[in-house]
Amino acid sequence: MPTTQTPVTSVTSHYAAQVTQDLEKNAAEQERISADITALQEQLDVLQNDQKVLRDVYKAVSGGSASVPTPPPSGSATPKRGPKSATASAPTAASAAADKATGKRKSTTPKNRPDKKSTGTAPGASTDKAPSQPTLVELVRSFLNRQTQPLSAAEVTADLAAKHPQRNIKATVVRTTLENLVAKTLVHRTKQGSSVFYTGADAKAAGERTQQDAATSTASAKKES
């Protein structure tokens, strides 16, 4: 009588499920890092724009005669200088006697140094600093806090993309930003079936206060009647 062989699939199913979870975690982590890179790139663009404006202002104030100072690179070490030679540093007797006889003094004022008291600006130069743009995190949070009902990530992306067409806002980056805000309890997430909706923490608190006030008013009206 032939024996029935039961295929052993429990181990295979276990590893398949584990690999699937690892792939999902990997994709979510990539989206989170992409969102962080996008936010940092926006901050870098703002700083570079500010640097350009500040250089133009410096040139205008100095009359264009002085070169723009360049800060040393971060972490650079200033090379140590060895002791100066006594022969090179000590003035010769002849030069000392000549200076004493003529009474000349060496000028310590560098050439082309801008006058500290001068506050004038060259004609046509703008001293207004370029306004900094809000980050994607600030845009998403501010938008949700103004809403009265939960919205999906696609709806948030569509609205922000319409209001800020120059920023090239992507749905994957918005979704990752929303999840990061949820982790910080700055945004609340609700699930209806297979759909996920998001609500700003401030908007949710305001809605709860409104419901509480309405319930209190109803209870007071019933008590008075």
Side-chain angles (χ1 to χ4, degrees):
M1 183 175 182
T3 58
T4 304
Q5 295 182 355
T6 303
V8 181
T9 60
S10 60
V11 176
T12 304
S13 301
H14 172 74
Y15 281 109
Q18 184 65 38
V19 171
T20 301
Q21 293 179 1
D22 292 341
L23 287 173
E24 292 177 353
K25 291 180 180 179
N26 185 282
E29 187 68 11
Q30 290 187 39
E31 291 183 358
R32 184 187 67 79
I33 293 176
S34 297
D36 293 342
I37 292 175
T38 301
L40 291 174
Q41 184 61 47
E42 291 177 354
Q43 296 178 13
L44 178 61
D45 293 340
V46 171
L47 290 175
Q48 289 177 343
N49 186 45
D50 291 348
Q51 182 187 45
K52 181 180 180 181
V53 173
L54 291 173
R55 285 177 177 271
D56 293 340
V57 172
Y58 183 87
K59 290 181 179 180
V61 172
S62 62
S65 58
S67 60
V68 180
T70 302
S74 176
S76 61
T78 303
K80 295 182 180 180
R81 296 181 179 179
K84 294 182 179 180
S85 173
T87 304
S89 59
T92 61
S95 61
D99 291 341
K100 184 176 181 181
T102 57
K104 293 182 180 180
R105 296 180 180 178
K106 295 182 180 181
S107 174
T108 58
T109 304
K111 296 182 180 180
N112 299 330
R113 184 179 66 182
D115 188 359
K116 294 182 179 180
K117 297 181 180 180
S118 175
T119 57
T121 304
S126 174
T127 58
D128 295 335
K129 187 177 179 180
S132 59
Q133 296 182 355
T135 63
L136 182 61
V137 175
E138 295 172 343
L139 289 177
V140 171
R141 185 183 176 189
S142 176
F143 172 71
L144 284 179
N145 284 332
R146 295 194 304 268
Q147 306 307 311
T148 58
Q149 60 182 1
L151 297 176
S152 65
E155 291 172 331
V156 175
T157 304
D159 188 277
L160 294 180
K163 293 181 179 179
H164 306 278
Q166 75 284 359
R167 300 191 63 145
N168 190 21
I169 298 175
K170 298 181 179 179
T172 55
V173 179
V174 172
R175 186 178 297 105
T176 303
T177 302
L178 287 168
E179 291 298 329
N180 290 338
L181 290 173
V182 169
K184 298 177 182 179
T185 67
L186 298 176
V187 169
H188 296 280
R189 176 178 56 188
T190 56
K191 193 171 184 180
Q192 299 178 7
S194 60
S195 301
V196 178
F197 297 92
Y198 301 89
T199 307
D202 296 343
K204 184 177 181 180
E208 291 176 351
R209 286 195 299 269
T210 302
Q211 293 178 359
Q212 185 177 2
D213 294 341
T216 302
S217 300
T218 302
S220 299
K222 288 182 180 180
K223 185 176 181 181
E224 291 177 357
S225 61

